[in-house]
Amino acid sequence: MKIKAHFIRYASLFAAVILSLPLPLGILTGFYLWLSPYLFINSALASWRFAAFHGFGAAVLLLTILYHRWFCRFVCPTGALCDIASKWGSRKFTLRRVPSIHKHLFVTALCMAVLGIPLLNLLDPINVFTMFFDGFQSTPFAIVVLKLSGLILILLFSFIVPHCWCQRLCPLGGMQVLLTEIKKAIQDRLVSQKLTFNSGRRYFVASVIGLGIGAISRSLSAARLKNPLRPPGAAPESRFVMLCARCGNCVNVCPTDIIYTSLDMNDPIGALAPSIRFEESYCLPDCVRCGSVCPSGAITSFSLEEKKQLVIGIARIDLKDCLLTNNRECDRCKAFCEYGAIQIVTSEDDFSSYPEIVVDRCVGCGACQIVCPVGVISVVGITT
Amino acid sequence: MKRRTFLSNIVLSQGALLSGAQIARSSDADTNDSPRSGKTVMEPAREIPVIEEPDVLVVGGGPAGVTAAIAAARAGADTLLVERYNHLGGLWTGGLVLPLLSTHAIDKDGKFKQVIFGIGDEMAKRLKALDMAISEVNPVVDPEAAKYIFDVMTKEAGVKTLYHCWVSNVLLNDGRIEAVVLESKSGRVAVAPKVVVDCTGDGDVLHLAGEEFENFHYHIGLVHRLGNIDRIDTSKPGYKELRIGDPTPIPSVNWVNMHGKDNQDGIDMYTLSELQRQYRIEIWEKVQKIRSTPGYESVFLLDTASQLGVRMSRILAGAYRLTLADSMTYKNFPDAIGISGAWTSLLYQGRRYTTRERPLWQIPYRSLVPRKTKNLLVAGRCFSFETKLVEDARIIGTCIITGQGAGAGAAVAAQSDSAVQDVDVKRLRTILKEQNVYFG
């Protein structure tokens, strides 16, 4: 039985690595994240938005109630790596020195999620694993370091104090332990009418911390002035930065590489969240990939039909240097707008023609911005 | 000879064709032939003198037509060029669209280089020698100098030119154009060429010959020129910078482009007349506004273009329809007659290509060849291409390349008595190479 468990675990690790490699996996990009019940609970509480793939997380959650920590034993790729690190690790420190905070971390996360802030998604071992591999595909260096550091730290912990991550720190593990304890408490209550569940002060503190951080983050994110460009289908900015797991799925799956991992010192709350930039390419009207791979619901999955209504930003034209406005032969922005959002208007004042954005139609796809020969068009975020 | 006997019977066929033409026209998608009053009149059949029997008749003396006529004449064909206005150069000169666009593009190694050679390059060089062309890439020329150079070049090549005449009909027999009917100050006359090259821009001949086409509605403008640009007094109180167009080889003169109204029918006489009047009024009033601005008092309206800037109208449905994909992927055609370049940016397969990233592209002979008529070739903006390619296909550089290909092709067809569809492409390409056309 033990050999078999190991076998399944390493097979799972192998599969997770394969699925994390920069291969054209389409909808399977970052598939392991969909299995995370932790991410599922967080997103469900934070946004009340569900994608079809959330079914996986829900199923795993149900099975977790039935079989204690089966997910850790058989599926979790980070757990498998931690085990390897623990085996090679030092014997100097033992688990007893590490406080068991995983359940409390989970409670904190849960409280934050209730306030719509699942920022502790970052501690989800599967997300940490996905981010590690995403790190290799990222630029610049700061983002690479941040993305790689999660898994490296976890493995370092496990090396110094064997099994400390899985047994003591991992909130996903904590969630499973807590669920089992609750289950046991309910069973005991039913069987022997005894209350065995220790609600304790620690959970109260954890909840307060969670609610506190949640409230502060909410006010911070609401206070931000600037609205960066986010992928189509992104939740409203204040929720988006909080929902997003920073897994990098959307960045990796974007066919035109317009989605990138942002790291702006002026915007710490949005750090590592996907932003959009239009340099060589634009948001293709026949693509729904970013929405289909988002495991957290930060980007809702959308159809091609729905995409026509999803606004990234709005194009602005600086007419001063616009070729057409200066009587030169150009209509590139109008010619390549697939939403009919640019029309050429003739000014009665000086009889010159100039391009004008039809606000209702513009979704901020960026086609006009990149095709403009003189670079006078830019898509800007919409302030709500 | 069959051709001769046919020509003597020209009266008869003219009458027969007229009734036939009326039936065809009533079912035609063209709106410009449909009577607005609801009334029609019957034109009686009449005898028309055949004034010329050249090897090659080039209809339209724009960039494509001038080049086609010179190419055909240099290839040894007896060539007649007919032009409706009083000058050669078409929109390039009379239309005051002064830049020879699409002279450059990048090759497979990513090197940005000149691709328009042959007669087009010769034109540019001769204008530069007169100091009447500015800029190496996409040179801007002086229209009067260009008119002069085109007259000199056609004369040198031995092209016979007829100004002030307009094609009004085409007489077909057995899939061939036996005669082209012209309206002129000398009345209605016919030309019976071996091969016709349609360089009308509007595809008038291909339309009359019953070839299939698409009438592409695009924006139509009217270009004008401003004089005394060098006398603008920037030190005058109240002076502000105004948009007064772009420089020409003559320092005191600017040319001012006009985008004009979108989605216009370039072959509808009412549309053309309305736009002509509206634009001329607009331009005059605009220039008066400029003149009333401090510092601009001496600026004046030098001229409005003698022809409207009809950017697109009919597009031939030819033996091959050149695609945007062909132009973006270095597509090799065994029957390529030349290479054109690009002059603006575009998006292709989700990616931006700036002007300097655009590949050069080959133009196959088949895109100049109609599907039915055996002795008609088409050059200029009405040759066969998909509308996505319009920006680079309608431009002067491309017109020149297609013109040279069609002119030489017509000469080969006339000399070998073969249908244009069966022209020996190898021989054609040899002639074009001798005429310095660039093939990559």
Side-chain angles (χ1 to χ4, degrees):
Chain A
M1 189 63 203
K2 208 177 174 185
I3 299 163
K4 207 181 169 191
H6 272 96
F7 175 73
I8 295 172
R9 198 168 197 191
Y10 291 130
S12 171
L13 174 62
F14 179 71
V17 171
I18 295 291
L19 288 174
S20 303
L21 293 176
L23 304 168
L25 296 164
I27 207 151
L28 285 176
T29 305
F31 174 75
Y32 262 65
L33 273 171
W34 294 102
L35 297 175
S36 167
Y38 182 86
L39 220 60
F40 160 69
I41 292 180
N42 268 296
S43 296
L45 286 175
S47 70
W48 292 104
R49 295 212 276 191
F50 298 94
F53 270 176
H54 274 137
F56 286 105
V60 171
L61 183 69
L62 282 176
L63 285 171
T64 302
I65 297 171
L66 294 177
Y67 308 105
H68 180 58
R69 297 202 81 164
W70 71 276
F71 188 81
C72 306
R73 232 177 292 156
F74 297 117
V75 184
C76 184
T78 308
L81 288 173
C82 282
D83 260 13
I84 295 169
S86 303
K87 247 179 236 169
W88 295 338
S90 82
R91 295 279 173 266
K92 228 192 274 176
F93 304 99
T94 56
L95 266 179
R96 253 171 286 167
R97 289 177 174 234
V98 183
S100 181
I101 58 163
H102 54 347
K103 285 181 285 186
H104 311 96
L105 266 177
F106 173 66
V107 171
T108 306
L110 210 60
C111 290
M112 283 171 70
V114 171
L115 283 177
I117 293 162
L119 211 58
L120 287 190
N121 269 353
L122 293 173
L123 290 179
D124 183 307
I126 309 197
N127 195 24
V128 169
F129 184 85
T130 311
M131 276 172 69
F132 178 79
F133 284 89
D134 180 53
F136 291 109
Q137 302 167 51
S138 303
T139 48
F141 187 65
I143 288 171
V144 178
V145 169
L146 283 171
K147 290 227 158 195
L148 296 183
S149 58
L151 190 62
I152 291 172
L153 278 177
I154 287 178
L155 294 180
L156 208 63
F157 286 158
S158 302
F159 187 78
I160 297 165
V161 186
H163 304 290
C164 79
W165 170 259
C166 295
Q167 301 286 340
R168 294 285 187 264
L169 302 172
C170 173
L172 181 58
M175 181 197 81
Q176 296 180 64
V177 173
L178 194 63
L179 279 175
T180 310
E181 280 179 12
I182 292 168
K183 190 180 86 176
K184 197 161 165 285
I186 293 168
Q187 276 171 347
D188 286 355
R189 177 99 179 140
L190 289 176
V191 174
S192 60
Q193 310 284 310
K194 264 194 312 186
L195 185 72
T196 52
F197 184 67
N198 175 18
S199 48
R201 244 183 326 177
R202 282 183 177 183
Y203 290 116
F204 177 73
V205 173
S207 313
V208 169
I209 292 174
L211 291 170
I213 297 176
I216 293 166
S217 314
R218 256 178 104 102
S219 58
L220 277 179
S221 70
R224 296 190 319 147
L225 293 171
K226 195 182 74 158
N227 265 344
L229 304 179
R230 300 297 185 197
E237 180 62 17
S238 56
R239 278 230 308 267
F240 176 80
V241 284
M242 296 303 163
L243 271 174
C244 174
R246 274 72 168 168
C247 64
N249 280 359
C250 55
V251 177
N252 293 330
V253 86
C254 178
T256 50
D257 288 331
I258 56 166
I259 308 182
Y260 74 106
T261 309
S262 63
L263 188 62
D264 184 350
M265 287 307 146
N266 300 319
D267 182 22
I269 291 173
L272 299 183
S275 273
I276 283 194
R277 64 180 160 210
F278 301 113
E279 282 169 357
E280 296 258 291
S281 196
Y282 64 109
C283 185
L284 303 177
D286 59 348
C287 171
V288 295
R289 292 197 206 172
C290 53
S292 69
V293 296
C294 179
S296 70
I299 309 170
T300 29
S301 133
F302 48 84
S303 68
L304 282 179
E305 197 48 46
E306 285 161 341
K307 184 169 184 179
K308 291 177 190 157
Q309 311 293 328
L310 298 177
V311 176
I312 298 169
I314 188 161
R316 291 260 179 271
I317 308 178
D318 177 8
L319 292 179
K320 191 177 152 281
D321 292 322
C322 162
L323 290 180
L324 179 65
T325 309
N326 288 286
N327 298 312
R328 303 244 167 82
E329 185 76 356
C330 188
D331 66 345
R332 305 285 76 198
C333 51
K334 173 181 175 269
F336 287 96
C337 179
E338 299 188 50
Y339 300 87
I342 296 181
Q343 56 191 24
I344 287 173
V345 186
T346 303
S347 152
E348 296 300 322
D349 250 9
D350 60 355
F351 307 110
S352 72
S353 301
Y354 59 92
E356 194 176 74
I357 305 288
V358 184
V359 178
D360 307 348
R361 290 195 189 148
C362 179
V363 298
C365 73
C368 54
Q369 176 176 334
I370 58 162
V371 83
C372 177
V374 283
V376 298
I377 308 183
S378 52
V379 176
V380 295
I382 290 175
T383 40
T384 39
Chain B
M1 259 181 97
K2 211 182 157 200
R3 202 157 78 94
R4 299 264 172 223
T5 48
F6 173 83
L7 286 172
S8 61
N9 293 334
I10 205 162
V11 191
L12 225 127
S13 10
Q14 172 81 346
L17 261 154
L18 260 171
S19 54
Q22 271 178 353
I23 295 161
R25 282 174 186 184
S26 59
S27 63
D28 202 325
D30 270 354
T31 51
N32 52 340
D33 287 341
S34 60
R36 288 202 171 184
S37 67
K39 283 187 208 158
T40 56
V41 290
M42 179 64 82
E43 185 182 23
R46 58 169 160 161
E47 205 163 343
I48 298 167
V50 174
I51 53 162
E52 299 276 348
E53 292 179 63
D55 289 338
V56 175
L57 168 67
V58 178
V59 184
V66 177
T67 318
I70 295 170
R74 287 187 186 169
D78 170 28
T79 307
L80 176 67
L81 172 62
V82 298
E83 163 58 37
R84 63 168 154 155
Y85 296 118
N86 70 351
H87 59 266
L88 298 180
L91 277 168
W92 196 4
T93 56
L96 296 177
V97 184
L98 305 181
L100 196 183
L101 293 179
S102 81
T103 55
H104 286 62
I106 60 162
D107 64 9
K108 274 184 180 166
D109 304 322
K111 209 177 142 209
F112 188 73
K113 57 156 76 158
Q114 185 180 344
V115 294
I116 305 275
F117 285 94
I119 295 169
D121 186 45
E122 218 174 297
M123 292 169 171
K125 284 213 172 97
R126 290 179 80 149
L127 284 162
K128 264 172 214 159
L130 297 176
D131 272 337
M132 284 296 164
I134 47 174
S135 141
E136 202 61 39
V137 179
N138 302 330
V140 177
V141 307
D142 175 72
E144 289 305 319
K147 289 174 187 174
Y148 159 74
I149 287 291
F150 300 155
D151 268 339
V152 169
M153 283 176 75
T154 44
K155 194 178 170 196
E156 283 171 358
V159 175
K160 199 180 286 176
T161 305
L162 280 176
Y163 284 119
H164 305 291
C165 49
W166 191 308
V167 168
S168 62
N169 206 359
V170 150
L171 304 180
L172 293 167
N173 181 34
D174 193 23
R176 290 178 59 86
I177 295 173
E178 289 290 354
V180 174
V181 181
L182 309 174
E183 300 294 342
S184 74
K185 279 288 165 191
S186 314
R188 183 175 287 196
V189 293
V191 174
K194 283 184 181 164
V195 183
V196 183
V197 186
D198 184 351
C199 297
T200 54
D202 290 324
D204 291 341
V205 179
L206 69 91
H207 160 55
L208 292 167
E211 288 295 336
E212 275 179 43
F213 62 85
E214 175 186 348
N215 183 9
F216 187 60
H217 290 194
Y218 217 40
H219 44 293
I220 296 177
L222 180 67
V223 184
H224 66 277
R225 288 192 299 172
L226 296 175
N228 276 350
I229 294 304
D230 53 343
R231 295 201 192 170
I232 296 171
D233 182 4
T234 53
S235 61
K236 199 142 185 178
Y239 165 85
K240 59 176 181 182
E241 211 178 307
L242 293 178
R243 296 180 176 120
I244 46 161
D246 290 290
T248 70
I250 297 172
S252 58
V253 175
N254 267 15
W255 73 285
V256 188
N257 191 35
M258 184 200 278
H259 179 85
K261 279 191 171 173
D262 276 323
N263 197 25
Q264 298 296 306
D265 185 350
I267 47 176
D268 178 70
M269 60 188 280
Y270 289 97
T271 303
L272 296 177
S273 304
E274 277 160 28
L275 292 178
Q276 182 73 65
R277 180 156 69 183
Q278 185 192 332
Y279 290 164
R280 185 163 285 124
I281 292 172
E282 275 182 12
I283 288 169
W284 179 264
E285 292 177 357
K286 175 180 168 176
V287 176
Q288 293 321 299
K289 274 198 171 180
I290 291 173
R291 283 162 63 87
S292 63
T293 310
Y296 292 87
E297 292 82 357
S298 24
V299 172
F300 70 102
L301 177 62
L302 177 59
D303 54 358
T304 55
S306 55
Q307 57 187 113
L308 265 180
V310 177
R311 289 175 175 84
M312 278 312 299
S313 52
R314 293 192 190 92
I315 305 175
L316 171 72
Y320 182 80
R321 203 183 267 280
L322 197 57
T323 66
L324 177 66
D326 295 338
S327 83
M328 295 303 291
T329 54
Y330 297 100
K331 175 93 175 259
N332 261 311
F333 293 103
D335 62 337
I337 48 93
I339 281 173
S340 189
W343 66 280
T344 188
S345 59
L346 57 71
L347 302 181
Y348 178 68
Q349 292 190 339
R351 220 204 99 180
R352 178 258 321 265
Y353 288 80
T354 62
T355 312
R356 292 226 164 198
E357 290 167 343
R358 298 279 311 277
L360 50 83
W361 47 289
Q362 293 189 355
I363 302 170
Y365 175 69
R366 281 164 301 146
S367 63
L368 315 177
V369 176
R371 288 181 189 159
K372 292 183 283 196
T373 318
K374 290 172 191 160
N375 63 339
L376 172 65
L377 285 171
V378 177
R381 67 164 191 248
C382 47
F383 84 101
S384 183
F385 58 87
E386 69 168 359
T387 51
K388 279 187 203 163
L389 189 59
V390 65
E391 281 305 299
D392 297 296
R394 69 183 177 86
I395 230 65
I396 291 170
T398 308
C399 290
I400 287 173
I401 293 299
T402 54
Q404 191 159 3
V412 173
Q415 285 156 357
S416 59
D417 264 327
S418 62
V420 291
Q421 287 83 358
D422 308 325
V423 155
D424 179 0
V425 175
K426 227 172 144 186
R427 198 178 142 205
L428 168 60
R429 280 166 60 100
T430 311
I431 292 172
L432 288 171
K433 271 174 200 158
E434 283 165 10
Q435 293 188 2
N436 287 325
V437 172
Y438 176 67
F439 282 95

